[in-house]
């Protein structure tokens, strides 16, 4: 089903000036040839010029009040807004103006010795360049335009158009101009479609970037809260056990450690929220400097609990070197996730962390003992949301690394749950 255009494209000042110049030029020539032309030709052509001028004025008005064709009446009209009120066009006005222009241009093209071709060409270009107009509509308009030109030629040959004479060459020239108008309109149509697609692609890219930014912040908050709250539970459980045993001094130390962990977690959470509320990083900003090996070691050591006899132990082998900030964050978050996982599913069991520096990459392995080939269900097991390991995979995917997680049987026959990450470094 073909669609009739119910909108008028907004027009810039430059386009309006060009159209106004063309309108005045055509009107002046009409005034000069009017004595040789039948009155009906003059009046019909004049009606076409008026329709052209009205459409141009509406287009300029729409462009000056926001340039949104959807603010016009008809399907897709904006339901409210000041722009819609200022640029509203009554339903049926836009197609009626095109009908008048096309009819006047086609019937008067030959009687005015080609002058009416200007109206016909403008009408066809407006139809074919509008992406909202179906092919059936503009093809029908072009065919009717050609038939109108032929009808005008017959009226001229019969002497009903004044003293003007018709010629086969002039008729072919007018039909060639009509075909050229179709080609030009389709070219403008393709350009507008391409521009709209580019704008949509840019909008999608902006939305994707914003989504990725939010996901990164959510990932940071998850890691921070999982590690901090899990560590708090462990410290408070230990403090409770020490109080029941009457060791108030060690219990107080556990409470103090829990307080430090809570403060550290709050600081990291505030930083993540501050990043979420602040502007996104600009590509023109200076790159973040590489993280020194001592700084990476300090951040990893800060995750460990020195007072936990059966807790996590970190060993490092190979020649350490500075790494990009993204890779350092990924390593820290991987160790953080491994510790949180051990607290949830294997509380009280030893955790071994091995950081190995290879010539071309860095590898980190976090092992915690399991029983019967599977992890236990600690008191924190039900608190997991299932976002930890996917978050680690996302981080290492961004730096070109890989992640493996699962139960592994050691040479001595014991089973451990191993989280192994590596990335180029």
């Amino acid at each position: 089903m073909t669609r009739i255009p119910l909108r008028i494209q907004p027009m810039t000042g430059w386009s309006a000036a060009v159209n106004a110049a063309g309108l005045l030029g055509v009107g002046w020539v009409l005034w000069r040839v009017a004595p040789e032309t039948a009155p009906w030709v003059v009046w019909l052509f004049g009606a076409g010029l008026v329709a052209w001028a009205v459409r141009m004025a509406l287009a300029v008005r729409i462009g000056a009040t926001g340039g949104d064709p959807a603010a016009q009446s008809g399907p897709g009209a904006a339901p409210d807004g000041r722009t819609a009120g200022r640029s509203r066009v009554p339903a049926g006005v836009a197609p009626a103006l095109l009908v008048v222009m096309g009819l006047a241009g086609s019937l008067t093209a030959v009687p005015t010795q080609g002058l009416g071709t200007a109206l016909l060409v403008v009408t066809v270009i407006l139809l074919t360049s509008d992406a909202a107009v179906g092919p059936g509509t503009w093809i029908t308009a072009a065919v009717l335009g050609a038939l109108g030109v032929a009808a005008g030629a017959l009226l001229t040959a019969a002497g009903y158009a004044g003293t003007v004479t018709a010629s086969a060459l002039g008729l072919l020239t007018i039909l060639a101009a009509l075909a050229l108008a179709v080609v030009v309109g389709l070219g403008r149509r393709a350009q507008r479609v391409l521009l709209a697609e580019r704008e949509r692609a840019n909008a999608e890219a902006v939305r994707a970037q914003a989504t990725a930014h939010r996901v990164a912040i959510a990932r940071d908050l998850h890691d921070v809260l999982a590690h901090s709250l899990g560590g708090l539970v462990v410290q408070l459980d230990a403090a409770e056990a020490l109080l029941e045993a009457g060791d108030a001094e060690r219990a107080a130390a556990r409470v103090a450690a829990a307080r430090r962990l809570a403060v550290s977690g709050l600081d990291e959470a505030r930083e993540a929220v501050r990043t979420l509320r602040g502007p996104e990083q600009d590509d023109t900003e200076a790159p973040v400097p590489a993280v020194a090996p001592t700084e990476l070691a300090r951040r990893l050591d800060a995750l460990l609990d020195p007072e936990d006899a059966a807790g996590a132990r970190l060993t490092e082998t190979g020649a350490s070197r500075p790494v990009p900030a993204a890779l350092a964050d990924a390593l820290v978050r991987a160790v953080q996730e491994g510790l949180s996982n051990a607290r949830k599913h294997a509380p009280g069991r030893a955790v071994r962390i091995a950081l190995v520096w290879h010539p071309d990459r860095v590898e980190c392995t976090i092992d915690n003992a399991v029983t019967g080939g599977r992890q236990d269900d600690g008191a924190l097991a039900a608190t997991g949301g299932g976002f930890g390991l996917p978050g680690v995979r996302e981080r290492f995917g961004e730096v070109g690394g890989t992640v493996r997680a699962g139960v592994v049987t050691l040479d001595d026959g014991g089973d451990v749950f191993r989280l192994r990450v590596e990335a180029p470094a």
Side-chain angles (χ1 to χ4, degrees), residues 26 29-31 33-34 36-38 40-46 104-119 152-153 156 161-162 164-166 174:
V26 171
V29 175
L30 176 64
W31 177 71
V33 302
E36 304 175 6
T37 310
W40 71 267
V41 176
V42 177
W43 284 106
L44 181 58
F45 192 71
S106 60
L107 289 177
T108 63
V110 175
T112 57
Q113 297 182 344
L115 185 62
T117 309
L119 281 175
T156 302
V164 180
T165 59
I174 293 172

Side-chain angles (χ1 to χ4, degrees), residues 9 52 99 120 143 146 153 159-160 166 200 214 219-220 259 262-263 266 271 309 364 384 400 406 417:
Q9 294 288 347
W52 186 7
V99 169
L120 182 59
V143 171
Y160 293 105
R200 279 194 291 269
R214 289 193 297 269
R219 197 168 54 204
D220 284 345
R259 181 181 182 280
V263 171
L266 283 174
E271 181 61 29
C364 185
F417 182 84

Side-chain angles (χ1 to χ4, degrees), residues 169-226:
L169 180 60
L171 179 61
L172 291 177
T173 302
I174 293 172
L175 294 178
L178 177 60
L180 181 61
V182 172
V183 174
V184 172
L186 292 178
R188 293 184 61 185
R189 181 194 191 101
Q191 185 179 14
R192 286 176 177 175
V193 170
L194 180 61
L195 180 61
E197 290 293 336
R198 187 177 302 167
E199 290 177 351
R200 279 194 291 269
N202 291 338
E204 289 294 332
V206 171
R207 281 194 291 268
Q209 184 178 6
T211 300
H213 183 66
R214 289 193 297 269
V215 168
I217 301 303
R219 197 168 54 204
D220 284 345
L221 286 175
H222 168 273
D223 294 343
V224 169
L225 294 177

Side-chain angles (χ1 to χ4, degrees), residues 109-145:
V110 175
T112 57
Q113 297 182 344
L115 185 62
T117 309
L119 281 175
L120 182 59
V121 166
V122 171
T123 303
V124 172
I125 289 178
L126 287 174
L127 280 170
T128 54
S129 64
D130 191 345
V133 179
T137 300
W138 62 261
I139 290 175
T140 302
V143 171
L144 292 178

